[in-house]
Coordinates of all heavy atoms in Angstrom, one line a residue:
M1326 N -6.1 29.3 45.4 CA -6.3 27.8 45.4 C -6.3 27.3 44.0 O -6.9 27.8 43.1 CB -7.7 27.7 46.0 CG -8.2 26.3 46.2 SD -9.4 26.1 47.4 CE -10.8 25.6 46.6
T1327 N -5.6 26.2 43.8 CA -5.6 25.6 42.5 C -6.5 24.4 42.5 O -6.8 23.7 43.4 CB -4.2 25.1 42.3 OG1 -3.8 24.1 43.4 CG2 -3.1 26.2 42.4
T1328 N -7.0 24.3 41.3 CA -8.1 23.2 41.0 C -7.3 22.1 40.2 O -6.6 22.4 39.3 CB -9.3 23.6 40.4 OG1 -8.9 24.1 39.1 CG2 -10.0 24.7 41.2
R1329 N -7.6 20.9 40.5 CA -7.0 19.8 39.8 C -7.9 19.5 38.6 O -9.0 19.6 38.5 CB -7.0 18.5 40.7 CG -6.1 18.7 41.8 CD -6.0 17.4 42.7 NE -5.9 16.2 42.0 CZ -5.9 15.1 42.5 NH1 -6.3 14.9 43.8 NH2 -5.8 14.0 41.8
P1330 N -7.1 19.2 37.4 CA -8.0 18.9 36.2 C -8.8 17.7 36.3 O -8.4 16.7 37.1 CB -6.9 18.8 35.0 CG -5.6 18.5 35.8 CD -5.8 19.2 37.2
K1331 N -9.9 17.6 35.7 CA -10.7 16.4 35.9 C -10.1 15.3 35.0 O -9.6 15.5 34.0 CB -12.2 16.7 35.3 CG -13.0 17.8 36.1 CD -14.2 18.0 35.3 CE -15.1 19.1 36.1 NZ -16.4 19.3 35.5
P1332 N -10.3 14.1 35.5 CA -9.8 13.0 34.7 C -10.7 12.7 33.4 O -11.8 13.1 33.3 CB -9.9 11.7 35.7 CG -10.9 12.2 36.7 CD -10.9 13.7 36.8
A1333 N -9.9 12.2 32.5 CA -10.6 11.9 31.2 C -11.7 10.9 31.4 O -11.6 10.0 32.1 CB -9.6 11.5 30.1
P1334 N -12.9 11.1 30.7 CA -13.9 10.1 30.8 C -13.5 8.7 30.2 O -12.6 8.7 29.3 CB -15.0 10.7 30.0 CG -14.7 12.2 29.8 CD -13.2 12.3 29.9
N1335 N -14.1 7.7 30.6 CA -13.7 6.3 30.2 C -13.8 6.2 28.7 O -12.9 5.5 28.1 CB -14.6 5.4 30.9 CG -14.1 5.2 32.4 OD1 -13.0 5.6 32.7 ND2 -15.2 4.7 33.2
Y1336 N -14.8 6.7 28.0 CA -15.0 6.6 26.7 C -13.7 7.1 25.9 O -13.3 6.7 24.8 CB -16.3 7.1 26.1 CG -16.4 8.5 26.1 CD1 -16.1 9.4 25.1 CD2 -17.1 9.1 27.2 CE1 -16.3 10.7 25.2 CE2 -17.3 10.5 27.4 CZ -16.9 11.3 26.2 OH -17.1 12.6 26.3
E1337 N -13.2 8.3 26.4 CA -12.1 8.9 25.7 C -10.9 8.0 25.8 O -10.1 7.8 24.9 CB -11.7 10.2 26.2 CG -12.8 11.3 25.9 CD -12.5 12.7 26.4 OE1 -11.3 12.9 27.0 OE2 -13.2 13.6 26.2
L1338 N -10.8 7.4 26.9 CA -9.7 6.4 27.2 C -9.7 5.2 26.4 O -8.8 4.7 25.8 CB -9.5 6.1 28.6 CG -9.1 7.3 29.6 CD1 -9.1 6.7 31.1 CD2 -7.7 7.7 29.2
V1339 N -11.0 4.8 26.0 CA -11.2 3.7 25.3 C -10.8 4.0 23.8 O -10.1 3.1 23.2 CB -12.6 3.1 25.4 CG1 -13.0 2.1 24.3 CG2 -13.0 2.6 26.7
W1340 N -11.3 5.1 23.4 CA -10.9 5.4 22.0 C -9.4 5.7 21.8 O -8.8 5.5 20.7 CB -11.6 6.6 21.4 CG -13.1 6.2 21.1 CD1 -14.3 6.6 21.8 CD2 -13.5 5.5 20.0 NE1 -15.3 6.0 21.1 CE2 -15.0 5.3 20.0 CE3 -12.8 4.8 19.0 CZ2 -15.6 4.6 19.2 CZ3 -13.5 4.0 18.0 CH2 -14.9 4.0 18.1
L1341 N -8.8 6.3 22.8 CA -7.3 6.4 22.8 C -6.7 5.1 22.7 O -5.8 5.0 21.9 CB -6.9 7.2 24.0 CG -5.4 7.4 24.1 CD1 -4.9 8.3 23.1 CD2 -5.0 8.0 25.4
A1342 N -7.0 4.2 23.5 CA -6.5 2.8 23.4 C -6.8 2.1 22.1 O -5.8 1.5 21.5 CB -7.0 2.0 24.5
I1343 N -7.9 2.4 21.5 CA -8.2 1.7 20.1 C -7.3 2.3 19.1 O -6.7 1.6 18.2 CB -9.6 1.9 19.8 CG1 -10.5 1.0 20.7 CG2 -9.9 1.5 18.3 CD1 -12.0 1.2 20.6
G1344 N -7.1 3.6 19.2 CA -6.2 4.3 18.2 C -4.8 3.9 18.3 O -4.2 3.6 17.3
L1345 N -4.3 3.9 19.5 CA -2.9 3.4 19.7 C -2.7 1.9 19.3 O -1.7 1.6 18.8 CB -2.5 3.6 21.2 CG -2.4 5.1 21.6 CD1 -2.1 5.2 23.1 CD2 -1.3 5.7 20.7
A1346 N -3.7 1.1 19.6 CA -3.6 -0.4 19.2 C -3.6 -0.4 17.7 O -2.9 -1.2 17.1 CB -4.9 -1.1 19.8
G1347 N -4.5 0.4 17.0 CA -4.4 0.3 15.6 C -3.2 0.7 14.9 O -2.6 0.1 14.0
L1348 N -2.5 1.8 15.6 CA -1.2 2.2 15.0 C -0.1 1.2 15.3 O 0.7 0.9 14.5 CB -0.7 3.5 15.6 CG -1.5 4.8 15.3 CD1 -1.2 6.0 16.1 CD2 -1.1 5.1 13.8
A1349 N -0.4 0.5 16.4 CA 0.7 -0.5 16.8 C 0.6 -1.7 15.8 O 1.6 -2.3 15.4 CB 0.4 -1.0 18.3
V1350 N -0.7 -2.0 15.5 CA -0.8 -3.2 14.6 C -0.3 -2.8 13.1 O 0.4 -3.6 12.5 CB -2.4 -3.5 14.4 CG1 -2.7 -4.4 13.2 CG2 -2.8 -4.1 15.7
L1351 N -0.5 -1.6 12.6 CA -0.1 -1.2 11.3 C 1.5 -1.1 11.4 O 2.1 -1.6 10.4 CB -0.6 0.3 11.0 CG -2.1 0.3 10.5 CD1 -2.5 1.7 10.4 CD2 -2.3 -0.5 9.3
L1352 N 2.1 -0.7 12.3 CA 3.6 -0.6 12.5 C 4.1 -2.2 12.5 O 5.1 -2.4 11.9 CB 3.9 0.0 13.8 CG 5.6 0.1 14.0 CD1 6.2 0.9 12.8 CD2 5.8 0.8 15.3
A1353 N 3.5 -3.0 13.3 CA 3.9 -4.3 13.4 C 3.8 -5.1 12.1 O 4.6 -5.9 11.6 CB 3.1 -5.1 14.4
L1354 N 2.8 -4.9 11.3 CA 2.6 -5.5 9.9 C 3.7 -4.9 9.0 O 4.1 -5.7 8.2 CB 1.1 -5.2 9.6 CG 0.0 -6.0 10.2 CD1 -1.4 -5.5 9.6 CD2 0.2 -7.5 9.9
S1355 N 3.8 -3.6 9.0 CA 4.9 -3.1 8.2 C 6.3 -3.7 8.5 O 7.0 -4.1 7.5 CB 4.9 -1.5 8.3 OG 3.8 -0.9 8.0
V1356 N 6.6 -3.9 9.7 CA 7.9 -4.4 9.9 C 8.0 -5.8 9.6 O 8.9 -6.4 9.1 CB 8.3 -4.2 11.6 CG1 9.3 -5.0 12.0 CG2 8.4 -2.7 11.9
W1357 N 6.9 -6.6 10.0 CA 6.8 -8.0 9.5 C 6.9 -8.2 8.2 O 7.8 -9.1 7.7 CB 5.5 -8.6 10.0 CG 5.3 -10.1 9.5 CD1 5.9 -11.1 10.2 CD2 4.5 -10.5 8.7 NE1 5.5 -12.3 9.5 CE2 4.5 -11.8 8.4 CE3 3.6 -9.8 7.7 CZ2 3.9 -12.6 7.5 CZ3 2.9 -10.5 6.8 CH2 3.1 -11.8 6.6
R1358 N 6.3 -7.4 7.3 CA 6.4 -7.4 5.8 C 7.8 -7.2 5.3 O 8.3 -7.9 4.5 CB 5.4 -6.6 5.2 CG 5.3 -6.6 3.7 CD 4.8 -7.8 3.2 NE 4.8 -7.8 1.8 CZ 4.7 -8.8 1.0 NH1 4.7 -9.9 1.5 NH2 4.7 -8.7 -0.3
M1359 N 8.4 -6.3 5.9 CA 9.8 -5.9 5.5 C 10.8 -7.1 5.9 O 11.7 -7.3 5.0 CB 10.3 -4.6 6.1 CG 9.6 -3.4 5.4 SD 10.3 -1.8 5.9 CE 9.9 -1.9 7.6
V1360 N 10.6 -7.6 7.1 CA 11.5 -8.7 7.5 C 11.1 -10.0 6.8 O 12.1 -10.7 6.4 CB 11.4 -8.9 9.0 CG1 12.1 -10.1 9.5 CG2 11.8 -7.6 9.6
S1361 N 9.9 -10.3 6.6 CA 9.6 -11.6 6.1 C 9.8 -11.7 4.4 O 9.9 -12.8 3.9 CB 8.2 -12.0 6.2 OG 7.3 -11.1 5.6
A1362 N 9.8 -10.6 3.7 CA 9.9 -10.7 2.3 C 11.0 -9.7 1.8 O 10.7 -8.7 1.2 CB 8.7 -10.3 1.7
P1363 N 12.4 -9.9 2.1 CA 13.3 -8.9 1.8 C 13.5 -8.8 0.3 O 13.9 -7.8 -0.2 CB 14.5 -9.3 2.6 CG 14.3 -10.8 2.8 CD 12.8 -11.0 2.9
G1364 N 13.4 -9.9 -0.4 CA 13.7 -9.9 -1.8 C 12.5 -9.1 -2.7 O 12.7 -8.9 -3.9
L1365 N 11.4 -8.8 -2.2 CA 10.3 -8.1 -2.9 C 10.5 -6.7 -2.8 O 9.7 -6.0 -3.6 CB 9.0 -8.5 -2.3 CG 8.6 -10.0 -2.4 CD1 7.3 -10.3 -1.6 CD2 8.8 -10.5 -3.8
F1366 N 11.3 -6.1 -2.1 CA 11.5 -4.6 -2.0 C 12.6 -4.1 -2.9 O 13.6 -5.0 -3.1 CB 11.7 -4.1 -0.6 CG 10.5 -4.3 0.2 CD1 10.3 -5.5 1.0 CD2 9.6 -3.3 0.3 CE1 9.3 -5.6 1.7 CE2 8.4 -3.5 1.0 CZ 8.2 -4.6 1.7
P1367 N 12.6 -3.0 -3.6 CA 13.7 -2.5 -4.4 C 15.1 -2.6 -3.6 O 15.0 -2.1 -2.4 CB 13.3 -1.1 -4.7 CG 11.9 -1.0 -4.4 CD 11.6 -2.0 -3.4
G1368 N 16.0 -3.0 -4.2 CA 17.3 -3.1 -3.6 C 18.1 -2.0 -4.0 O 17.8 -0.9 -4.3
A1369 N 19.4 -2.3 -4.4 CA 20.3 -1.4 -4.8 C 20.1 -1.1 -6.3 O 19.3 -1.6 -7.0 CB 21.7 -2.0 -4.8
F1370 N 20.7 0.0 -6.8 CA 20.6 0.4 -8.1 C 20.8 -0.8 -9.1 O 21.8 -1.4 -8.9 CB 21.5 1.7 -8.3 CG 21.4 2.2 -9.7 CD1 20.2 2.8 -10.2 CD2 22.5 2.1 -10.6 CE1 20.2 3.4 -11.4 CE2 22.5 2.7 -11.9 CZ 21.3 3.3 -12.2
N1371 N 20.0 -0.9 -10.1 CA 20.1 -2.1 -11.0 C 21.1 -1.8 -12.1 O 21.3 -2.8 -12.9 CB 18.7 -2.6 -11.5 CG 18.2 -1.5 -12.4 OD1 18.7 -0.4 -12.7 ND2 16.9 -1.7 -12.9
G1372 N 21.8 -0.7 -12.2 CA 22.8 -0.4 -13.2 C 22.2 0.1 -14.5 O 23.0 0.3 -15.4
T1373 N 20.9 0.4 -14.8 CA 20.5 1.0 -15.8 C 20.9 2.4 -15.8 O 20.7 3.1 -15.0 CB 19.0 1.0 -16.1 OG1 18.5 -0.4 -15.9 CG2 18.4 1.5 -17.3
S1374 N 21.6 2.8 -16.9 CA 22.0 4.2 -17.0 C 21.1 5.1 -17.5 O 20.1 4.8 -18.2 CB 23.3 4.2 -17.9 OG 23.0 4.1 -19.2
I1375 N 21.2 6.4 -17.1 CA 20.2 7.4 -17.6 C 20.4 7.6 -19.1 O 19.2 7.9 -19.8 CB 20.6 8.9 -17.0 CG1 20.4 8.6 -15.4 CG2 19.7 9.8 -17.5 CD1 19.0 8.2 -14.9
K1376 N 21.6 7.5 -19.6 CA 21.8 7.6 -21.2 C 20.8 6.6 -21.9 O 20.2 6.9 -23.0 CB 23.2 7.5 -21.6 CG 23.9 8.8 -21.1 CD 25.3 8.7 -21.6 CE 26.0 10.0 -21.0 NZ 27.4 9.9 -21.5
S1377 N 20.8 5.3 -21.4 CA 20.1 4.2 -22.1 C 18.6 4.5 -22.0 O 17.9 4.2 -22.9 CB 20.5 2.8 -21.5 OG 20.1 2.8 -20.2
I1378 N 18.1 5.1 -20.8 CA 16.8 5.3 -20.6 C 16.4 6.4 -21.5 O 15.4 6.4 -22.2 CB 16.5 5.7 -19.2 CG1 16.7 4.4 -18.3 CG2 15.0 6.2 -19.0 CD1 16.6 4.8 -16.9
M1379 N 17.1 7.5 -21.6 CA 16.8 8.7 -22.5 C 16.9 8.4 -23.9 O 16.3 9.2 -24.7 CB 17.7 9.9 -22.1 CG 17.5 10.4 -20.6 SD 15.8 10.8 -20.3 CE 15.6 12.4 -21.5
S1380 N 17.6 7.2 -24.3 CA 17.7 7.0 -25.8 C 16.5 6.2 -26.2 O 16.4 5.9 -27.4 CB 18.9 6.2 -26.0 OG 18.8 5.0 -25.4
E1381 N 15.5 5.9 -25.3 CA 14.4 5.1 -25.8 C 13.5 6.0 -26.6 O 13.6 7.3 -26.5 CB 13.6 4.6 -24.6 CG 14.2 3.5 -23.8 CD 13.5 3.1 -22.6 OE1 12.3 3.4 -22.5 OE2 14.1 2.4 -21.7
D1382 N 12.6 5.4 -27.4 CA 12.0 6.2 -28.5 C 10.9 7.1 -27.8 O 10.8 8.2 -28.3 CB 11.0 5.1 -29.3 CG 10.3 5.7 -30.4 OD1 10.9 6.6 -31.0 OD2 9.1 5.4 -30.6
M1383 N 10.4 6.8 -26.6 CA 9.4 7.8 -26.1 C 9.9 9.0 -25.6 O 9.3 10.1 -25.5 CB 8.7 7.1 -25.0 CG 9.5 6.8 -23.9 SD 8.6 5.9 -22.5 CE 7.4 7.1 -22.0
F1384 N 11.3 9.1 -25.5 CA 11.9 10.3 -25.1 C 12.6 11.1 -26.2 O 13.2 12.1 -25.9 CB 13.0 10.0 -24.0 CG 12.4 9.4 -22.7 CD1 12.7 8.2 -22.3 CD2 11.7 10.2 -22.0 CE1 12.1 7.7 -21.2 CE2 11.1 9.8 -20.7 CZ 11.4 8.5 -20.4
Q1385 N 12.5 10.6 -27.4 CA 13.2 11.2 -28.5 C 12.5 12.5 -28.9 O 13.1 13.4 -29.4 CB 13.2 10.3 -29.7 CG 14.2 9.1 -29.5 CD 15.6 9.7 -29.0 OE1 16.2 10.4 -29.7 NE2 16.2 9.0 -28.0
H1386 N 11.2 12.7 -28.9 CA 10.5 13.8 -29.2 C 9.5 14.2 -28.0 O 8.3 13.9 -28.0 CB 9.6 13.5 -30.4 CG 10.3 13.1 -31.6 ND1 11.1 14.0 -32.4 CD2 10.6 11.8 -32.1 CE1 11.8 13.3 -33.3 NE2 11.4 12.0 -33.1
P1387 N 10.1 14.8 -26.9 CA 9.3 15.1 -25.8 C 8.3 16.3 -26.2 O 8.6 17.1 -27.1 CB 10.2 15.6 -24.9 CG 11.5 16.1 -25.6 CD 11.5 15.2 -26.8
G1388 N 7.2 16.5 -25.4 CA 6.4 17.6 -25.5 C 4.9 17.3 -25.7 O 4.6 16.1 -25.8
V1389 N 4.1 18.3 -25.8 CA 2.7 18.1 -25.9 C 2.4 18.8 -27.2 O 2.7 20.0 -27.4 CB 2.0 18.7 -24.7 CG1 0.3 18.6 -24.9 CG2 2.3 18.0 -23.4
L1390 N 1.5 18.2 -28.0 CA 1.2 18.7 -29.3 C -0.4 19.1 -29.3 O -1.1 18.4 -28.6 CB 1.4 17.8 -30.5 CG 2.9 17.2 -30.6 CD1 3.1 16.1 -31.6 CD2 3.8 18.4 -31.0
K1391 N -0.7 20.1 -30.1 CA -2.2 20.3 -30.3 C -2.6 19.4 -31.4 O -2.2 19.5 -32.5 CB -2.3 21.8 -30.7 CG -3.9 22.2 -30.7 CD -3.9 23.6 -30.7 CE -5.4 23.9 -30.7 NZ -5.8 25.2 -30.6
L1392 N -3.4 18.4 -31.0 CA -4.0 17.5 -32.0 C -5.2 17.7 -32.6 O -5.7 17.2 -33.5 CB -4.0 16.0 -31.2 CG -2.8 15.6 -30.7 CD1 -3.0 14.3 -29.8 CD2 -1.7 15.3 -31.6
G1393 N -5.8 18.8 -32.0 CA -7.3 19.1 -32.5 C -7.7 20.3 -31.7 O -7.0 20.8 -30.7
P1394 N -9.0 20.8 -32.0 CA -9.5 21.9 -31.1 C -9.7 21.4 -29.8 O -10.3 20.4 -29.6 CB -10.8 22.3 -31.8 CG -11.0 21.2 -32.8 CD -9.8 20.5 -33.1
D1395 N -9.2 22.0 -28.7 CA -9.3 21.5 -27.3 C -8.8 20.2 -27.1 O -9.4 19.5 -26.3 CB -10.8 21.7 -26.9 CG -11.1 23.2 -26.9 OD1 -10.5 24.0 -26.7 OD2 -12.4 23.5 -27.2
H1396 N -7.9 19.8 -27.9 CA -7.4 18.4 -27.8 C -5.9 18.4 -27.8 O -5.3 18.7 -28.9 CB -8.0 17.5 -28.8 CG -7.5 16.0 -28.6 ND1 -8.1 15.2 -27.7 CD2 -6.6 15.2 -29.2 CE1 -7.5 14.0 -27.7 NE2 -6.6 14.0 -28.7
F1397 N -5.1 18.1 -26.7 CA -3.7 18.2 -26.6 C -3.3 16.8 -26.2 O -4.0 16.1 -25.5 CB -3.2 19.1 -25.7 CG -3.5 20.6 -26.0 CD1 -4.7 21.2 -25.7 CD2 -2.6 21.2 -26.9 CE1 -5.0 22.5 -26.1 CE2 -2.8 22.6 -27.2 CZ -4.1 23.2 -26.8
G1398 N -2.2 16.4 -26.6 CA -1.6 15.1 -26.3 C -0.3 14.8 -26.9 O 0.3 15.7 -27.6
R1399 N 0.1 13.5 -26.8 CA 1.3 13.1 -27.5 C 0.8 12.2 -28.7 O 0.2 11.3 -28.6 CB 2.1 12.1 -26.5 CG 3.3 11.7 -27.1 CD 4.4 11.3 -26.0 NE 5.3 10.3 -26.4 CZ 6.1 10.5 -27.3 NH1 6.2 11.5 -28.1 NH2 7.1 9.5 -27.6
Q1400 N 1.3 12.7 -29.8 CA 1.0 12.0 -31.1 C 1.8 10.7 -31.1 O 3.1 10.8 -30.9 CB 1.3 12.8 -32.3 CG 0.9 12.2 -33.5 CD 0.9 13.1 -34.7 OE1 1.3 14.3 -34.6 NE2 0.5 12.7 -35.8
H1401 N 1.3 9.5 -31.4 CA 2.0 8.3 -31.5 C 2.7 8.2 -32.7 O 2.1 8.7 -33.7 CB 1.0 7.1 -31.3 CG 0.2 7.2 -30.0 ND1 1.0 6.8 -28.8 CD2 -0.9 7.6 -29.5 CE1 0.1 6.9 -27.8 NE2 -1.0 7.3 -28.1
G1402 N 3.8 7.5 -32.8 CA 4.4 7.3 -33.9 C 5.6 8.3 -34.2 O 6.3 8.2 -35.1
L1403 N 5.7 9.3 -33.4 CA 6.9 10.4 -33.4 C 8.2 9.8 -33.0 O 8.1 9.1 -32.0 CB 6.5 11.6 -32.9 CG 5.5 12.6 -33.6 CD1 5.4 13.8 -32.8 CD2 6.2 12.9 -35.0

């Protein structure tokens, strides 16, 4: 003889509905934001080359230096 599973209690169904409604609202807001403000999101590659980025001063002397006892960092001015 097989027994039928008990139906879910009402409070579980309420929390399931609240969770699904919350996900639906977040999805709808995300889609609305993407559609209503297309210019605010990054578009195509802006044309800056890797060589021009790597030639900037902060990339000329990479690495971490020991600046003192238990003090490591990047010394400014290099």
